[in-house]
Structures are given as C-alpha cells and as structure tokens.
C-alpha cells in the first residue's frame, strides 16, 4: 500500500471514530434547530450594526453601548442553546483527537519514531512558528 492509500485509510478511520460521528450529528442538530439559527441570524445583524455604527464619523457612544449590550445578549442566547453546547463539546473533542493525529504525523515527518512519538497538547503553546516539535 502506498502513502496515499494509507492516508485514505486513515481518513476512513477518522470518519468512523465516535468523536467524528458525534460532531456530524451535533452539527446537523444545530443546523436543524430553528431557534438557534434565528439566534445566529440576530447575532450577525447585531455585529453588522456595530460595524456600521463604528464606521460612522459621528458615531454615538450611547448607541455603541446599546449595540454592544445587545450583541452580548445575542451571543449569550446562542451559547445557552443545548444544540450549540453539544456542538461545541463535540468540536472540542474532535479537534483534540485530530490535533494529536496531526501532531504525531508531524513528529514522524521530522524523523520521530512512529512507534513511540506522541503529541502532548499540554506542552503546546499554539505558536508553531517557534516550535522545535511537540515532545
């Protein structure tokens, strides 16, 4: 089997992983939740209103404060939604798994032992530009 075929097998394994399955289900539930979609729409409208007001040369500070308050309330409404909480939890779980997979692949590409190298998220500062590899 060549490297591309092995990569496709890895892709299949990732898609069969329960964390991937849960992420897809949570995404679908969020998409189908009309109250959540309405809240996201409201949030986006508030964000645009803030941008429009901020761009004005004669912007009104009271209006900005009101819009910021409404923006935070809209965000809070989204984050209180059960489907959004489920999606965020599933996304965090999947991202952690995927970060570990890509971390291991990166270590192997740098010559690490494929049998023993592992990615430790706790040691990662998130800025790969100065990274000497995740150990």
């Amino acid at each position: 089997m060549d490297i591309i075929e092995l990569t496709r097998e890895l892709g299949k394994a990732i898609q069969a992983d329960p964390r991937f399955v849960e992420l897809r289900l949570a995404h679908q539930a969020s998409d189908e939740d009309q109250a959540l979609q309405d809240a996201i729409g409201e949030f986006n409208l508030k964000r645009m209103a803030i941008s429009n007001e901020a761009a004005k040369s004669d912007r009104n500070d009271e209006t900005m404060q009101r819009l910021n308050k409404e923006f935070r309330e809209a965000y809070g409404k989204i984050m209180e939604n059960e489907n959004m909480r489920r999606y965020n939890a599933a996304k965090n779980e999947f991202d952690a798994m995927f970060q570990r997979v890509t971390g291991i692949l990166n270590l192997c590409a740098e010559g690490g032992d494929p049998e023993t190298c592992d990615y430790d998220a706790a040691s990662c500062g998130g800025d790969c530009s100065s990274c000497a590899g995740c150990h």
Side-chain angles (χ1 to χ4, degrees), residues 26-115:
H27 187 267
Q28 182 178 351
S30 293
D31 283 351
E32 294 172 355
D33 184 334
Q34 192 57 51
L36 176 57
Q37 294 308 309
D38 291 346
I40 291 170
E42 179 184 347
F43 173 83
N44 288 330
L45 289 173
K46 299 297 180 190
R47 185 179 56 194
M48 288 186 331
I50 288 171
S51 293
N52 290 339
E53 184 65 28
K56 292 180 181 178
S57 59
D58 63 338
R59 79 173 174 200
N60 183 306
D61 286 338
E62 288 178 19
T63 300
M64 285 297 293
Q65 288 177 357
R66 177 182 54 79
L67 289 172
N68 277 318
K69 180 179 183 264
E70 292 171 2
F71 178 78
R72 287 188 302 276
E73 289 169 355
Y75 179 77
K77 190 174 180 182
I78 292 169
M79 299 315 290
E80 290 171 0
N81 181 284
E82 181 59 36
N83 285 317
M84 180 55 79
R85 286 198 305 266
R86 177 183 172 197
Y87 174 79
N88 282 336
K91 180 101 171 81
N92 289 339
E93 287 291 319
F94 176 79
D95 286 350
M97 179 270 298
F98 196 74
Q99 187 176 31
R100 184 174 180 200
V101 168
T102 57
I104 291 169
L105 288 173
N106 284 330
L107 289 171
C108 291
E110 294 170 359
D113 181 353
E115 296 293 326

Side-chain angles (χ1 to χ4, degrees), residues 6-20 97:
L6 288 169
T7 304
R8 292 185 193 285
E9 290 301 312
L10 177 58
K12 290 176 189 175
I14 288 170
Q15 290 180 349
D17 188 274
R19 290 164 286 203
F20 177 84
M97 179 270 298

